[in-house]
Structure formats: C-alpha cells, structure tokens
C-alpha cells in the first residue's frame, strides 16, 4: 500500500487558539501552565486529525511557540549573550520569547533577534545568531517531550527537524565580528555531534523515521556547501535512524547529484513547484530508497486534480511499489486549517477549495486511486472532486470582459515619470518639509473599540452612518495626536482596515474572503489571505474618502496609504489558471486608478507598500530577471500617472536588498522606507554601495518588539545612516506599521523619534 504522510500541520488552531493564549501570557493575564496546556491540547487535536486521515506517522516538531527555527536554535543552546542565558542551564520558554520579542531577563530592553522571510513565503523566521567559536548543546527538552506525548496518545512519531546545513545557511554572524557564509561551515565540527545526540535520543524513544528538512538544496549553493552534504549525512547515518531528506519550494536541478549515494532512507520532493523533480530524483535513488512525492499543494488552496496526479504517479508506482510515498508539497503551515465552517462563501466557490484538513483527505483519496482501494464513499468523494474541477474550468465568473479589454490596451499606458531630480525639487517646493522629515509607515494601533465597531458594522448592529462617524472620530484622534507630537507627514491611521491586503480585496471584483482562513505570519501574528479567483477590477474608489477626510482636518500633508500590486498578489491565494504576472497587472491597473483619484482629491503624498517585493523572487538567481521585470513594471504602472509634485513612497521590510538594488531603483519611488533597526543599519550598505539615487527612510525602531526606543539610540542609528547616505535624502520613521502596538508605547516611541529628529536637525 502507498504510504501517505505529512511534512507539518498549521500550529495556530482553526480559531487561532494559540495566538490568543500566547498574547494572554505575554500580557500577564494567564500562567505559563495555562499556555502549555493550550499547546498540548492543540497538538493532540492536530495529531488526531492527521491520524484519522490515514497517516501512518504524525509529524513532531512542526509545533512551535513562536517559530520552528527559533525552537531549534534554542534546543541547540544558541542564545545571544545579551539575553543572559547561563552556560549549562536549560533555555526557558521565556528566554525564547525574549529572543523573538526583545526583552532581557531583568525586564530591561534588549534588541530582538533578526527576523526575515522563510524562503519565498510570507512566513517569518527568527534568524539564528551565530558567533565565531559558537558552541552547541541540547538545551531544551520540549521536542523529546512532544514525542512522548504522541506515543502516550497512541501515535507513531516522525520528528521533523531543520537540517544542519540549512540551519547554518540561515544563520548570521555577529554584526561586529562578521562571519562569512563559507566560514560558517567551520561550525559543523561542533554542531554535528549535537545532531547525533538528538538522533540517538530519538532512536531511544522508539522513533524509526526522522524528517530532516534541507530546503537549501533548491538554491544556488557554493561548492563548499555542496561538498558538505556527503560529510554531514555520513555522520548522521551513524545514529541508525531512517532519514527522510526533505526539500521544497523548487527543483534540485544540479544539486540532485548530491543525493546520489547519500546514506539516507528517502528523499522528499516538491512535485507541485517542480514536477520534473520526480523523474530526476528517481534516476539517482538507490535500490532501497524511498521517493516521497509532494503532489498536494502546501502553498495554495485550490483542489487537486486527483486523476491527473494519479496518472503522473502511476509509472513511479509501478517502478517503486511501496517505496513511493505521497505527501503535500511542503508543510501545511502555509494554508488555513479547515474549510468546514466557512459559511460566508457560496457553494460553487467553496467546492473549488481545499484547506489543510481537506488536503489530508485528498491524500487519502489519491492513495486509494493509486492502490485501487477506494470504497464507495471514496469513489463518491473523487467524483465530487471531478465535478468541482469541471465547475471551475467552465465558470464564467473567473473572466471579466471589461478587465480583458483593459489588459488588451495595457502596453499603451505610460510607466515613465520625469527624472527624480526634477520631481524632488517640485515636491520640496510643494511640501516644504524640514531636514530629516518624520513620518510613520501608515497604521496606528487597532484598539478594541475599533475592532468592536467594525465587528458590529459587519454584523449589522451598527449602521453605515454610525460606523463612518466612529471611523472619522478615530481618524481625527490620530491626526490631532500626530500634530501634537510634531510629525511632519501624517497618516490617517487606517482604523477602517482589517488587513492591508484584505481591506482592498474586499473592494475589488475577483476576490473572495474566508471567515477563518487564518495563516501564521510570525509569532502570534496571523493573516487571512484573500482568494483571487477571477479577473481583478476596481469597482469604485477604495481609500479616497478616508484620506480626504484626514487631509481636511490639517494643513500638514497626509499620506494616502495603499498596498502595492506585488504585495497584493503575494499575500493572497492566487488563481492558478493564468500567469501570476497577468493577475499582478490587473491589480496594477486597479491601483493606478486609485492613485490618480487620490491625487485629484488633493493627496500629494501617496505610499504603495511593497514589503513582499523580494518575497516574490524565484529561488534561483537565473530565474530572477523575468520576475523582476514584470514586478517593477507593475509598480510603475500603478504609480506613473501622477504629476511631479505628487510624492510616491513605498515601504519594504525584513528583506535583503543587496542583489536586487537595480530593480529597487528601477521602481523609481521618490521615498523608500525600510527596516534597519534590528540590523543596526547594516542593510543600508546595499543602498550606499549602489549609490541609491532617491530618498530613503531607514526604520529607526523595531515595532515588532514592545520596547520603547531610546532617543539617543535613534540619533546614533541615524548618524550611522548619515555616514552612508546624504543627510538631505534621509527620513526618520519606524520600521513598519503600528497596528499591533498599544497606544502607550506608540506615543512614547514616536515622541522619542520626533525628539531624535530635532537633535539631528540641530546638528545638521
């Protein structure tokens, strides 16, 4: 019989139970034992779901209190000195949270560990912080305890751990001493014995299979890293466990040669992103090795064509027999938990979708098709799947003649503005801003009152006019606050917005929305990605009324706040029946109309956030340029229909820019704001080395930490920035929006930021 298994399951819970428990614990409202009980309950429930779906093993290690890479770093005892971890003591849960959120054991602030995107997803991981001579030890017991939990409940455990080479690759050296990528390999001698100890303990617990994730095998790897794979897995083979080496998100390509002769029991491939990998990996497999085919998408929510997939797998099934396993393409962390209960979607659209629980059902049905073991209920389920796929193919709602007409004329629209030097002079004359102008990224705290008003309005207990008045009151409060503390370019605060993508999607044709389609972004932060099922069309203005109202309250400039086309694309579940570039251009056309209407309404600073711009990059550099060409084109298509006096901003956070600086410059935003506080302004090296020509706002404090920044610290950071870039092109701002912060810390932080700008101006 074909084995079915899973690489990982969403950890937050269908109703975001873990999020609520974490935030209550961080706020001091519940005990640690209550938090731990939430974790135990969720794990037990998720294992039960997977077991009932027919999985032979359940993944252990996919659960994390904040992030799976941070969990592994703390298990290895890798805790930066500023968090005051005793050398031989266990790493506590609180220490792990301090690393992620920026609090030291004494309660005094400490810089949180760096956070960045997990490959090309919108999930964020905490970057391992390494130092020359780094030591390793088993410093946390939680993973071993979870294996015992599963055994006690009657489940067969398959631990899931980051591979040693992937974990090292993701790590960064000390900001002051530096540690080159090749130099990190010197840490293997100290790291591998601890991996051996972990695997030995797994074996003692009765574990048979361990899944070791090495997704860097889909990247362009230096020769030294390629050479290290043989050594690493020869060493780990001594523990005597069956190792399933898992990779995902792309093809092995030339790295497939590294698998030949590797002493592992099996290989997992992402056959959704890279269908050809099935054959290339099969060709290098040993006679007893397993091929795990990731054929159910772990990244998108459309139903799988089970007949087509079974047809693809049948030759492999005949060749490999029981050595063919099937699974999702990657961890199901990236999709919502369960489609059941989504009563807000119509029946036709619902029939097209598959969330984590449904993907497990698809695995079981595919197993039945391959093995010829479907019972009557299974046959009916497969028939329903076929009907849903036919319905989607033939549905008229996915294509809009008006949008198709616009797309036919898209090449005639200009993407060019006047040279930056000409524009910035016009903008300075118009806006009359001081040196080191201050602003925020857009959102202000989403208070309980705001959320209740939105809930009541959506539920029908608050009228449209009452809701509008409530939001206008919030906007006025935010405007008056910004005036009072002395910010230079204001924002309306985005009180009316539930999410930076979902809000706009709700006002565009071609989008659909779930009630509980939550996906973890980082820590306790969850997002509910919209579903782009059809052609995108702007039906009416989306933000103009709110921005115009805010501008009517003040003589200071107010930024119009929009989400850029690439981020709208990346942070949605996107239709897979046309190229992503075409969907992005449809979004750009809608935003172009919105930008023009904002300008006509008197808004002369307009920000289009593109934090997902780098996230969209293909994982192989040879594939980058095609993506960058259309991504830049979409941004310029959105922003190029305005006058020189109108200043276009964009915002990007938690990204590396060094190797895409030309494309960042080609976007030609007048001002770009970025995250630099956690990295001590090191990210500015890319802008300095490139001689970036436009204005830039290096974020001077980390909004993802509850710490209130010190004025002198921000002055020092901006001083570092001024050493790298001309001071007359620098802005002062936080590193991201303030939606998730409370008002007390927001006010204190922004007051300190404004005071820092005053110091900088006085010294200029």
């Amino acid at each position: 019989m074909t084995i079915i298994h899973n690489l990982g399951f969403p950890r937050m819970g269908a109703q975001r139970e873990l999020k609520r428990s974490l935030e209550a614990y961080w706020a001091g409202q519940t005990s640690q034992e209550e938090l731990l009980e939430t974790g135990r309950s969720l794990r037990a429930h998720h294992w039960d779901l997977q077991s009932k779906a027919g999985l032979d093993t359940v993944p252990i290690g996919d659960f994390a209190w904040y992030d799976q890479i941070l969990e592994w770093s703390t298990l290895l005892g890798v805790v930066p000195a500023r968090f005051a971890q005793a050398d031989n003591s266990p790493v506590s849960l609180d220490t792990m949270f301090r690393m992620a959120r920026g609090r030291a054991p004494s309660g005094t602030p400490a810089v949180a560990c760096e956070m960045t995107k997990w490959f090309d997803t919108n999930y964020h991981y905490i970057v391992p912080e390494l130092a020359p001579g780094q030591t390793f030890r088993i410093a946390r017991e939680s993973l071993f305890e979870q294996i015992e939990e599963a055994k006690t409940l009657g489940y067969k455990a398959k631990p899931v751990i980051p591979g040693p080479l992937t974990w090292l690759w993701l790590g960064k050296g000390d900001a002051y001493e530096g540690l080159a990528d090749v130099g990190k390999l010197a840490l293997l001698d100290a790291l591998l014995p601890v991996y051996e100890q972990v695997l030995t303990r797994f074996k003692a617990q009765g574990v048979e299979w361990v899944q070791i994730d090495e997704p860097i095998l889909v990247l362009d790897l230096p020769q030294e890293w390629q050479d290290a794979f043989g050594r690493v897995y020869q060493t780990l083979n001594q523990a005597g466990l069956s190792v399933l080496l898992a990779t995902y998100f792309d093809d092995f390509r030339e790295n497939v040669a590294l698998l030949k002769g590797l002493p592992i029991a099996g290989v997992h491939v992402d056959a959704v992103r890279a269908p050809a990998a099935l054959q290339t990996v099969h060709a290098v497999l040993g006679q007893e090795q397993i091929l795990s085919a990731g054929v159910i998408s772990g990244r998108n929510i459309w139903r799988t064509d089970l007949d087509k997939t079974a047809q693809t797998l049948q030759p492999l099934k005949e060749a490999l027999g029981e050595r063919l396993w099937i699974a999702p393409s990657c961890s199901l962390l990236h999709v919502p938990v369960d489609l059941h209960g989504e009563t807000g979607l119509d029946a036709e659209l619902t029939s097209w979708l598959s969330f984590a629980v449904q993907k497990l059902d698809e695995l079981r049905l595919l197993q039945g098709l391959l093995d010829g073991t479907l019972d009557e209920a299974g046959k009916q389920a497969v028939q329903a799947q076929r009907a849903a796929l036919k319905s989607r193919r033939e549905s008229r709602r996915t294509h809009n003649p008006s949008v198709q007409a616009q797309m036919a004329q898209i090449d005639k629209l200009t993407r060019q503005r006047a040279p930056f030097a000409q524009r910035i002079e016009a903008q300075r004359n118009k806006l009359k801003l001081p040196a080191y102008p201050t602003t925020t990224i857009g959102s202000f705290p989403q208070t309980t009152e705001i959320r209740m008003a939105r809930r009541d309005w959506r539920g029908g207990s608050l009228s449209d006019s009452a809701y509008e008045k409530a939001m206008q009151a919030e906007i006025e409060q935010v405007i008056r606050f910004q005036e009072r503390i002395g910010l230079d370019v204001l924002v309306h605060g985005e009180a009316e917005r539930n999410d930076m993508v979902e809000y706009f999607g709700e006002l565009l044709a071609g989008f659909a929305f779930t009630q509980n389609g939550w996906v973890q972004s980082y820590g306790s932060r969850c997002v509910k990605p919209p579903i782009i099922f059809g052609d995108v069309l702007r039906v009416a203005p989306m933000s103009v009324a709110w921005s115009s109202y805010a501008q009517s309250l003040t003589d200071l400039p107010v930024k119009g706040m929009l989400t850029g086309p690439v981020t709208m694309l990346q942070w949605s579940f996107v239709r897979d029946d046309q190229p992503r570039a075409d969907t992005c251009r449809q979004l750009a056309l809608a935003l172009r109309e919105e930008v023009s209407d904002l300008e006509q309404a008197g808004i002369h600073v307009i920000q289009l956030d593109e934090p997902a711009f780098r996230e969209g990059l293909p994982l192989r550099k040879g594939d980058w340029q095609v993506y960058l060409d259309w991504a830049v084109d979409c941004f310029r298509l959105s922003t190029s229909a305005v006058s020189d006096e109108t200043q276009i901003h964009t915002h990007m956070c938690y990204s590396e820019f060094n190797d895409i600086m030309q494309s960042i410059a080609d976007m030609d935003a007048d001002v770009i704001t970025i995250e630099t506080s956690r990295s001590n302004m090191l990210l500015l090296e890319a802008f300095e080395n490139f001689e970036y020509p436009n204005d830039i706002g290096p974020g001077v404090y980390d909004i993802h930490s509850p710490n209130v920044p010190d004025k002198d610290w921000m002055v020092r950071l901006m001083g570092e920035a001024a050493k790298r870039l001309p001071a007359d092109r620098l802005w002062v701002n936080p590193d991201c929006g303030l939606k998730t912060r409370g008002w007390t810390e927001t006010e204190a932080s922004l007051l300190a930021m404004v005071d820092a700008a005053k110091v900088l101006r006085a010294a200029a």
Side-chain angles (χ1 to χ4, degrees), residues 29-87:
Q29 297 167 356
T30 58
S31 68
Q32 186 171 116
E33 181 50 44
E34 289 174 292
L35 174 63
L36 294 175
E37 178 54 36
T38 298
R40 285 190 290 266
S41 175
L42 283 171
R43 289 192 295 270
H45 178 55
H46 296 160
W47 294 334
D48 181 59
L49 287 173
Q50 293 172 89
S51 177
K52 286 178 177 176
L55 271 63
D56 292 321
T57 60
V58 294
I60 311 292
D62 53 344
F63 180 87
W65 294 109
Y66 200 94
D67 159 55
Q68 71 269 16
I69 297 299
L70 176 61
E71 290 275 353
W72 190 247
S73 298
T74 56
L75 182 147
L76 295 173
V78 179
V79 180
R82 63 185 177 277
F83 299 104
Q85 172 65 39
D87 288 344

Side-chain angles (χ1 to χ4, degrees), residues 569-589:
L569 182 86
Q570 286 296 125
W571 291 0
S572 300
F573 291 121
V574 183
R575 61 191 296 187
D576 58 0
D577 59 343
Q578 71 176 17
R580 291 172 68 86
D582 288 353
T583 303
C584 197
R585 290 188 178 99
Q586 292 177 3
L587 289 161
L589 287 172

Side-chain angles (χ1 to χ4, degrees), residues 214-530:
E214 293 281 16
I216 63 167
L217 279 166
V218 303
L219 304 180
D220 300 307
L221 293 177
Q223 189 63 49
E224 295 88 348
W225 287 81
Q226 295 180 42
D227 294 342
F229 272 89
R231 171 194 168 195
V232 165
Y233 284 90
Q234 288 288 351
T235 300
L236 298 187
N237 186 47
Q238 298 173 25
L241 283 178
S242 295
V243 171
L244 179 69
L245 183 68
T247 192
Y248 31 80
F249 302 152
D250 209 329
D251 201 345
F252 285 89
R253 302 191 195 181
E254 75 284 353
N255 292 333
V256 74
L258 304 179
L259 301 176
K260 195 166 186 178
L262 212 59
I264 54 178
V267 180
H268 173 83
V269 302
D270 184 338
V272 175
R273 281 286 185 92
L278 288 173
Q279 296 302 327
T280 57
V281 172
H282 179 213
V284 300
L285 281 181
Q287 291 186 353
E288 297 182 356
Q289 288 177 317
I290 298 293
L291 174 60
S292 169
V295 291
I296 305 292
S297 176
R299 294 281 299 271
N300 215 332
I301 44 72
W302 306 107
R303 283 210 192 197
T304 303
D305 187 332
L306 296 177
D307 293 315
K308 181 179 178 181
T309 304
Q311 184 178 8
T312 298
L313 291 177
Q314 197 59 48
L316 288 171
K317 175 68 175 173
E318 293 171 2
L320 295 170
E322 293 187 357
R323 291 194 294 126
L324 176 68
W325 292 8
I326 55 175
S329 59
C330 61
S331 171
L332 297 177
L333 172 71
H334 310 289
V335 295
V337 176
D338 195 354
L339 188 59
H340 293 132
E342 291 294 342
T343 57
L345 297 172
D346 64 79
E348 181 185 41
L349 183 55
T350 300
S351 74
W352 301 349
L353 307 179
S354 177
F355 292 176
V357 169
Q358 287 70 47
K359 289 177 186 296
L360 297 177
D361 292 337
E362 288 182 309
L363 270 182
R364 179 176 48 79
L365 294 174
L366 182 58
Q367 178 193 48
L369 282 173
L370 282 172
D371 294 342
T373 57
L374 285 176
D375 58 15
E376 188 58 36
K379 291 176 182 177
Q380 291 178 9
V382 169
Q383 190 57 45
Q385 192 100 338
R386 291 169 181 153
L389 294 170
K390 183 175 185 291
S391 164
R392 186 177 173 215
R393 283 194 303 268
E394 298 176 355
S395 176
R396 295 184 178 181
R397 66 195 296 187
T398 61
H399 296 285
N400 186 313
S402 176
V403 176
Q404 296 301 316
Q406 286 183 309
M407 290 289 286
Q409 301 296 315
I410 198 169
D411 289 340
K412 297 179 181 179
L413 298 175
T414 182
R415 275 79 158 169
Q416 293 296 125
R417 299 183 71 198
F420 174 72
Q422 177 180 325
R423 300 196 316 261
I424 197 64
E425 182 177 358
Q427 291 161 17
R428 286 171 177 168
N429 290 334
K430 175 76 175 179
L431 300 173
K432 296 180 172 54
L433 299 174
Y436 294 102
T438 57
T439 190
T440 66
I441 303 305
S443 61
F444 268 73
Q446 287 263 324
T447 63
T448 300
E449 292 76 16
I450 290 173
R451 291 191 174 95
M452 287 178 62
R454 189 161 55 237
R455 180 201 64 192
D456 292 345
W457 174 60
R458 288 179 179 275
S461 61
L462 189 67
S463 68
D464 290 351
S465 61
Y467 176 72
E468 181 178 354
K469 288 179 180 177
M471 293 301 102
Q472 287 179 342
E474 293 289 346
I475 290 170
E476 182 165 12
Q477 176 189 347
V478 167
I479 292 293
R480 299 299 174 228
F481 166 74
Q482 293 172 92
E483 287 179 324
R484 175 169 59 81
I485 67 170
L487 285 168
D488 301 307
V489 174
L490 314 188
V491 296
H492 79 285
E494 304 179 15
E496 80 286 359
R497 301 185 188 180
N498 45 10
D499 175 79
M500 64 184 292
V501 175
E502 186 175 11
Y503 170 79
F504 290 102
E506 288 177 332
L507 300 171
L508 294 166
F511 278 78
F513 301 88
T514 64
Q515 294 163 294
N516 293 294
W518 297 102
V519 177
Q520 185 181 15
S521 178
Y522 65 87
S524 66
R525 170 73 171 150
C526 298
V527 294
K528 192 149 58 68

Side-chain angles (χ1 to χ4, degrees), residues 580-642:
R580 291 172 68 86
D582 288 353
T583 303
C584 197
R585 290 188 178 99
Q586 292 177 3
L587 289 161
L589 287 172
L591 289 166
R592 183 183 180 95
E593 295 176 2
E594 186 74 8
V595 168
S596 295
D597 281 356
L598 282 168
E599 183 183 52
Q600 290 298 314
I603 306 299
H604 291 287
V605 182
I606 303 172
Q607 180 172 309
L608 280 82
D609 290 339
E610 284 290 20
F613 187 85
R614 185 184 175 88
E615 177 187 311
L617 275 175
L619 295 174
R620 295 299 189 111
K621 288 188 177 180
D623 301 330
W624 282 10
Q625 200 56 53
V626 171
Y627 161 77
L628 289 169
D629 286 347
W630 63 254
V632 169
D633 180 71
C634 287
F635 184 84
R636 294 182 67 141
L637 183 63
S638 301
T639 58
S640 58
V642 294

